Amino acid sequence: MDKQLTQRPRASVSDAGGETGIRTTCELLNLPLTPILTIRSQFMDLKVRIGVRERSNRSNYTMSNGGGGPSSSTHLLDFLEEPIPGVGTYDDFHTIDWVREKCKDRERHRKINSKKKESAWEFTKSLYDAWSGWLVVTLTGLASGALAGLIDIAADWMNDLKEGVCLSAMWFNHEQCCWTSNETTFAERDKCPQWKSWAELILGQAEGPGSYIMNYFMYIYWALSFAFLAVCLVKVFAPYACGSGIPEIKTILSGFIIRGYLGKWTLMIKTITLVLAVASGLSLGKEGPLVHVACCCGNIFSYLFPKYSKNEAKKREVLSAASAAGVSVAFGAPIGGVLFSLEEVSYYFPLKTLWRSFFAALVAAFVLRSINPFGNSRLVLFYVEYHTPWYIFELLPFILLGVFGGLWGAFFIRANIAWCRRRKSTRFGKYPVLEVILVAAITAVVAFPNPYTRQNTSELIKELFTDCGPLESSQLCQYRSQMNGSKAFTDNPNRPAGPGVYSAMWQLCLALIFKIIMTIFTFGLKVPSGLFIPSMAIGAIAGRIVGIAMEQLAYYHHDWFLFKEWCEVGADCITPGLYAMVGAAACLGGVTRMTVSLVVIVFELTGGLEYIVPLMAAVMTSKWVGDAFGREGIYEAHIRLNGYPFLDAKEEFTHTTLARDVMRPRSSDPPLAVLTQDDLTVEELQSVINETSYNGFPVIVSKESQRLVGFALRRDITIAIENARRKQEGILLNSRVYFTQHAPTLPADSPRPLKLRSILDMSPFTVTDHTPMEIVVDIFRKLGLRQCLVTHNGRLLGIITKKDILRHMAQMANQDPESIMFN
C-alpha cells in the first residue's frame, strides 16, 4: 500500500502534508486507508483541473494531469470568464450589432428576474429597472418642453430686437411691450409709446428717409451680429451643433455611432445658436433642430440608468421617444410627434417604445403649455378657425398645390444637394464663417424692404393661414366694401379685392422667389438650420396666392358651372387661408416625403380637423410627383451625401444578384483574413490586426478545412489582449491563442496561453453563396446586422458587410459606390 501511494503523482507539497494527516487519523480511528486516499486523490485532481485551488507560487503554473502527460493550465479568470472591461463597446463611426445588444439585454433581464425573489433589496432593484424607462422619458419630456419654451421666448425677443427695443421693460418683445399700453388704437395696435424703433432712439424721428435708412442699417447690423456669433460658437465649441440634425438622428437610430453628436456641449451650443440663427433672419426654422435638442436630452438622461447607458440598442429606444417629444414641442403636435418618430426617424420601434414616445410627447407638450411662450394659451402659433366648409370643386386647386409641392421638393433636393456637394469639394467650404456672413448679409439686405420677408417666418405663416375677418388689419384683408343702401357688407369674405390686396399679391410673389432661392443656399450652413418652417412658408405663400385668385374668380364669375351651385352672391365660398394651409403641407411633404405624420402635424398645429381630406389629397399628390423625380427625401439625400451607412427600409431592392456577387473577397482581392481556433500566437494575431483594417475576423477550425467556428471583432480582440497582459502574468508574444473551450496540449515549457473564447460570437449569421441579395438585404434591415458570413456546404467563402450592401445598391443605381465612407 505504501508503495502504491509513493508512486501516485502529487499535485503539490501541501498535498503531502494533508495526506500525512489523513494517514494519522485513519490509524487512530482504525479506518481503511486506501479507499479514503483514492477518493481524496480524485477530488484533488478535479480541484486542480477547474482551477479553484490557490497556488502558492503564481509563476509555477504547470502541472501534471491524471494521464501523466504534461499540459499547460489556464488561469482562474479564464475559467470564470469574467467580463473584460471595454469588450462589447464600439468605435466612433461604426455600426452597432443589434443582435448582440438584444442578447445582452435579455441576459441582464434574466439575471434580474432570477434574483428578485432573494431579498427585498433585489426586488426593489427589479422595480427600479422596470420603471427606469418611464423615468428617463419623463425627464426627457420635461427638459425638451422647458428648452423649447426658452428657445421660443428668446427667439421672439431677439427677432424684435432688430427693429427696436421696449423702454419700459427690456425683456419684452414688441407684442408684449404694447399689451399694457392704454394709448394704442385698434388700427395701430402694434404702435405704442413704450416701444421705440432704433431710428427714434438714435435720430429722434420715426418717419422720413433718414429714419428708414437708420432702421435698415440697424436691421442688417443685428442680423450679421447674430449670424456671426452663432457660426463662431458652433465652429469653436460644438461643430456637431450645425444643420438640422435629423439626417444624423435617423442614422444614429439605425445603429450608427457618432460620439459627441448627442453630448452636453452639443446641447448647450445648439440651444444658444438656434436662438441666434432664427433671430438673424436667415431662411431657416427651429423645428428640425428641436428634434436634435430633445435627442440630446434623451441621450444625456439615459446615462443615469445603467439599463440604457450600457446597451446601445436600448438607448435608441429612448432616442425614438425623444424625437417624438421634439416634434411635439416644435409644432405643438403630440400625436404627430409620435407618428413622425415612427414614420420618419426610427429604425427599430417596438410597442413599448410607442407607449413611451406617446408619454414623452405628452409630458413635453404639457410643460410647453404651462410655459405658454406664445401668449395665446395654446400650444401652437398657427391656430386658426375657419368658418366655411370646403367644396368638391376645390379639390382641383388643392391637387394643383400638391403638384407644386412635389415639383418644389424635387427641385429643392437636387439644387441643395448640388450646392452642398460643391461646398464640400471646393475651397469655399473651408470658410464657413465667411459663407454664413455672406448669406446673412444678402438675406438681410433683400428682406428688409418687403414686409413679408422682413418679419419672422413663423409670424408670416400665421398671417397667411389666418382668415380675413372684421378684426384683421393685415394688408391681405383690405377688400373693397360693397354698399347696399346704408349697409356695408364688411364681414363678407367674397368681395372685390382692394389695392392693398393687389399690392400684397406682388409682395408675396417677390417673397416666394426670395424664399425659394435663399432656402437652397441656407440649408446646410454651419449654423442650426431647420427646413420645416421655410418649406411651409413657401407653400403657404403659393397657397395664399392661389386662394385669393380662386376667391376673386368665384366673385366675378359666380355663374360658372364650377361655382354656380355653391358660390351664391353674398355667400361665403372660398377661404384663402385654407389654401395657404394646404400649400404649406404640400411643400413640406414634397421636401421630406412624409405622409401620415405630416397630415396629423398640420391639423394639430392649425386645429383644422375638418380639412383632413384636402390635406391628404395635396400631400399624396406632392409625394407622387416628387417620387417621379427621385424617391428619396431631403434627409435621405443628405445621409447619402455624408456617406453614412443607412439602409433605408422604404427603399426596395429589385435586382437579381446573389450573395456571391457582393461578398468579399472578390476574385481580384487578396484572400479573406481569418483566424484559426488554436493555431495562432499573440504575435501572429497582432500582426493580422495591424496589417488589416477590418472590423472583425471569422474564426475557423483550420486553414485546410475552412469550417466556421465563430466571429471575433477587432476591437474586442485588442481590448482582450491588453487586459490579459495587464492582469495575467506570463502572456508573451509567443503565447498560444485559442478560442476553444479547453486549452490545446502544449509542451511543459511553453508560455501561458491566452483564451479568447469569451469574446467569440459562436452564432454569427450566415447565408449560402446562392442566397438572393433581396433576401440578404431584408435580413440586414430587419435584424440590424453589421456583417453576415457566406458559406458553401459549411465552408467559409466570404463576408458581406452593411457597407458592401450599400455600395452594391449605389452601383446598381449608377451612383458612386465610394460615396459610402463608413461601416
Side-chain angles (χ1 to χ4, degrees):
M1 180 178 66
D2 293 345
K3 183 177 180 180
Q4 292 175 350
L5 289 174
T6 56
Q7 290 178 346
R8 184 182 60 83
R10 296 187 175 92
S12 67
V13 178
S14 60
D15 290 350
E19 185 177 313
T20 304
I22 292 175
R23 186 188 300 273
T24 306
T25 304
C26 290
E27 291 176 353
L28 291 173
L29 297 177
N30 196 19
L31 294 175
L33 182 61
T34 302
I36 296 177
L37 288 178
T38 302
I39 294 173
R40 181 182 180 277
S41 174
Q42 294 174 352
F43 173 76
M44 292 303 298
D45 287 342
L46 178 63
K47 190 176 179 182
V48 169
R49 277 200 303 272
I50 64 173
V52 176
R53 181 177 52 84
E54 293 291 340
R55 297 177 176 87
S56 59
N57 185 4
R58 295 181 61 88
S59 62
N60 181 21
Y61 61 90
T62 57
M63 62 182 177
S64 300
N65 57 14
S71 70
S72 177
S73 76
T74 52
H75 192 261
L76 175 63
L77 290 175
D78 293 337
F79 283 113
L80 295 181
E81 292 189 356
E82 293 183 354
I84 302 173
V87 168
T89 58
Y90 303 93
D91 288 322
D92 199 8
F93 296 110
H94 282 73
T95 304
I96 70 171
D97 190 337
W98 285 88
V99 176
R100 182 169 69 169
E101 296 299 305
K102 298 304 293 182
C103 290
K104 283 167 54 178
D105 183 64
R106 283 197 299 269
E107 184 64 26
R108 178 197 59 80
H109 196 262
R110 198 175 293 118
K111 289 181 179 179
I112 291 175
N113 284 338
S114 63
K115 291 182 179 180
K116 68 180 182 180
K117 296 181 180 180
E118 295 178 359
S119 63
W121 172 245
E122 293 293 338
F123 182 75
T124 306
K125 286 170 63 177
S126 67
L127 288 179
Y128 173 75
D129 179 81
W131 279 93
S132 58
W134 295 101
L135 289 176
V136 70
V137 297
T138 302
L139 294 173
T140 302
L142 291 172
S144 302
L147 287 175
L150 177 65
I151 290 171
D152 288 334
I153 294 171
D156 287 342
W157 177 77
M158 295 186 72
N159 188 71
D160 288 344
L161 189 63
K162 294 184 297 185
E163 299 181 357
V165 67
C166 186
L167 296 181
S168 60
M170 288 284 293
W171 56 89
F172 281 170
N173 62 18
H174 193 175
E175 183 181 5
Q176 294 167 341
C177 188
C178 297
W179 276 349
T180 57
S181 175
N182 296 323
E183 303 176 36
T184 56
T185 63
F186 178 78
E188 298 180 341
R189 66 188 75 177
D190 291 333
K191 295 182 180 180
C192 56
Q194 291 86 356
W195 180 263
K196 297 292 183 183
S197 66
W198 291 111
E200 291 179 90
L201 290 174
I202 298 173
L203 301 178
Q205 59 182 16
E207 304 293 338
S211 172
Y212 183 85
I213 293 174
M214 177 54 67
N215 286 331
Y216 201 163
F217 173 77
M218 292 303 296
Y219 182 92
I220 297 173
Y221 167 76
W222 283 112
L224 292 179
S225 300
F226 294 154
F228 177 74
L229 184 57
V231 69
C232 287
L233 288 174
V234 169
K235 188 173 185 291
V236 174
F237 294 103
Y240 283 154
C242 66
S244 167
I246 293 182
E248 286 76 13
I249 296 297
K250 284 172 66 77
T251 310
I252 290 172
L253 287 177
S254 72
F256 196 58
I257 300 288
I258 307 180
R259 303 286 181 201
Y261 197 84
L262 301 176
K264 56 182 181 299
W265 271 108
T266 303
L267 173 62
M268 185 187 308
I269 299 301
K270 185 115 186 180
T271 302
I272 297 171
T273 55
L274 180 56
V275 175
L276 293 169
V278 171
S280 68
L282 289 167
S283 183
L284 49 83
K286 59 181 180 292
E287 281 66 21
L290 278 175
V291 177
H292 188 187
V293 169
C295 287
C296 287
C297 296
N299 179 68
I300 292 170
F301 286 125
S302 66
Y303 282 100
L304 302 177
F305 304 90
K307 176 180 178 179
Y308 297 100
S309 62
K310 297 180 179 179
N311 193 297
E312 293 291 343
K314 296 292 291 181
K315 186 186 296 182
R316 275 147 182 79
E317 296 179 11
V318 176
L319 298 181
S320 294
S323 63
V327 175
S328 174
V329 295
F331 293 107
I335 306 299
V338 176
L339 293 177
F340 174 83
S341 178
L342 173 61
E343 178 184 359
E344 188 62 22
V345 298
S346 293
Y347 194 84
Y348 175 69
F349 205 82
L351 190 60
K352 60 182 176 182
T353 303
L354 176 68
W355 300 334
R356 289 171 181 169
S357 300
F358 182 82
F359 185 69
L362 169 66
V363 173
F366 174 77
V367 173
L368 185 65
R369 173 63 181 82
S370 303
I371 296 175
N372 192 20
F374 306 120
N376 59 1
S377 299
R378 299 188 187 276
L379 276 175
V380 296
L381 184 62
F382 308 139
Y383 187 82
V384 294
E385 288 183 284
Y386 300 136
H387 303 288
T388 56
W390 64 277
Y391 300 103
I392 296 297
F393 72 89
E394 292 183 283
L395 276 179
L396 179 61
F398 292 153
I399 291 175
L400 290 178
L401 285 174
V403 172
F404 172 77
L407 292 174
W408 150 250
F411 169 74
F412 172 77
I413 291 171
R414 293 195 177 186
N416 181 255
I417 292 299
W419 175 249
C420 291
R421 186 175 287 113
R422 182 174 180 82
R423 181 192 291 132
K424 291 168 72 77
S425 60
T426 60
R427 294 184 60 188
F428 191 65
K430 299 179 181 179
Y431 306 99
V433 177
L434 179 62
E435 183 185 11
V436 171
I437 293 297
L438 185 60
V439 174
I442 295 173
T443 303
V445 169
V446 179
F448 185 84
N450 191 337
Y452 293 111
T453 53
R454 183 194 315 170
Q455 69 185 117
N456 185 14
T457 310
S458 297
E459 293 288 346
L460 170 63
I461 296 174
K462 180 183 178 182
E463 183 176 345
L464 294 172
F465 281 5
T466 303
D467 192 16
C468 287
L471 300 180
E472 294 298 327
S473 60
S474 171
Q475 192 177 8
L476 290 168
C477 297
Q478 293 180 6
Y479 291 88
R480 291 200 305 265
S481 299
Q482 281 190 320
M483 300 299 295
N484 185 8
S486 61
K487 182 178 180 182
F489 293 94
T490 57
D491 57 346
N492 180 16
N494 287 348
R495 55 189 184 273
V501 175
Y502 288 112
S503 176
M505 290 277 282
W506 281 109
Q507 291 174 338
L508 284 177
C509 289
L510 294 175
L512 178 63
I513 297 173
F514 169 78
K515 288 286 185 183
I516 287 175
I517 295 174
M518 295 313 301
T519 304
I520 292 173
F521 295 98
T522 303
F523 188 71
L525 292 177
K526 297 302 181 183
V527 292
S529 55
L531 193 59
F532 284 11
I533 289 299
S535 297
M536 291 182 67
I538 291 170
I541 292 172
R544 188 75 184 206
I545 293 172
V546 173
I548 293 176
M550 285 292 297
E551 180 189 44
Q552 296 305 302
L553 197 64
Y555 175 79
Y556 287 108
H557 303 280
H558 60 273
D559 55 343
W560 284 10
F561 73 95
L562 280 177
F563 311 120
K564 191 172 184 180
E565 183 176 351
W566 295 283
C567 297
E568 300 177 2
V569 178
D572 296 345
C573 183
I574 304 296
T575 306
L578 171 60
Y579 286 75
M581 183 175 74
V582 173
C587 282
L588 185 54
V591 170
T592 62
R593 307 297 162 84
M594 297 179 347
T595 52
V596 179
S597 58
L598 175 58
V599 172
V600 175
I601 287 172
V602 172
F603 89 70
E604 276 193 284
L605 68 88
T606 59
L609 184 60
E610 186 180 350
Y611 306 101
I612 288 290
V613 174
L615 289 172
M616 293 174 66
V619 168
M620 282 308 304
T621 304
S622 69
K623 177 173 173 56
W624 287 335
V625 173
D627 286 348
F629 296 91
R631 299 186 64 87
E632 61 183 9
I634 184 63
Y635 301 130
E636 290 80 11
H638 272 270
I639 288 173
R640 185 164 54 84
L641 176 67
N642 294 327
Y644 296 139
F646 180 74
L647 198 57
D648 194 358
K650 304 173 188 174
E651 189 175 356
E652 296 181 3
F653 188 89
T654 58
H655 308 288
T656 57
T657 51
L658 301 177
R660 65 185 179 189
D661 302 323
V662 182
M663 72 176 188
R664 301 279 180 171
R666 305 284 177 82
S667 56
S668 58
D669 294 341
L672 184 66
V674 296
L675 307 176
T676 53
Q677 64 177 357
D678 55 8
D679 292 340
L680 289 175
T681 63
V682 173
E683 183 178 13
E684 292 171 343
L685 180 57
Q686 288 183 328
S687 177
V688 172
I689 292 176
N690 295 332
E691 293 174 359
T692 60
S693 59
Y694 306 124
N695 294 326
F697 304 93
V699 179
I700 58 177
V701 175
S702 65
K703 293 290 183 68
E704 293 77 20
S705 69
Q706 292 288 320
R707 299 291 179 181
L708 183 64
V709 176
F711 192 84
L713 294 177
R714 175 196 194 94
R715 178 181 174 87
D716 291 352
I717 294 173
T718 305
I719 292 174
I721 292 175
E722 294 176 355
N723 182 77
R725 285 178 170 172
R726 187 172 60 253
K727 292 188 176 181
Q728 300 182 34
E729 298 179 6
I731 300 297
L732 306 175
L733 287 176
N734 59 340
S735 295
R736 184 68 62 88
V737 177
Y738 67 98
F739 294 91
T740 55
Q741 182 66 42
H742 303 288
T745 302
L746 299 175
D749 58 346
S750 62
R752 175 189 303 240
L754 175 61
K755 181 180 180 182
L756 297 182
R757 183 180 175 83
S758 61
I759 67 169
L760 183 65
D761 181 6
M762 299 294 294
S763 56
F765 275 86
T766 60
V767 295
T768 66
D769 52 338
H770 287 84
T771 304
M773 277 305 298
E774 185 177 3
I775 303 298
V776 177
V777 172
D778 211 29
I779 292 173
F780 269 79
R781 283 175 178 158
K782 293 182 177 179
L783 297 180
L785 301 183
R786 59 185 298 179
Q787 72 272 322
C788 180
L789 301 177
V790 183
T791 61
H792 178 76
N793 293 334
R795 291 171 57 88
L796 179 66
L797 291 184
I799 186 172
I800 299 177
T801 65
K802 195 174 185 180
K803 187 175 183 178
D804 294 329
I805 289 180
L806 291 168
R807 284 184 168 178
H808 177 68
M809 294 173 70
Q811 190 174 9
M812 291 291 103
N814 295 321
Q815 299 170 355
D816 181 18
E818 299 303 321
S819 62
I820 310 298
M821 294 183 290
F822 306 105
N823 196 0

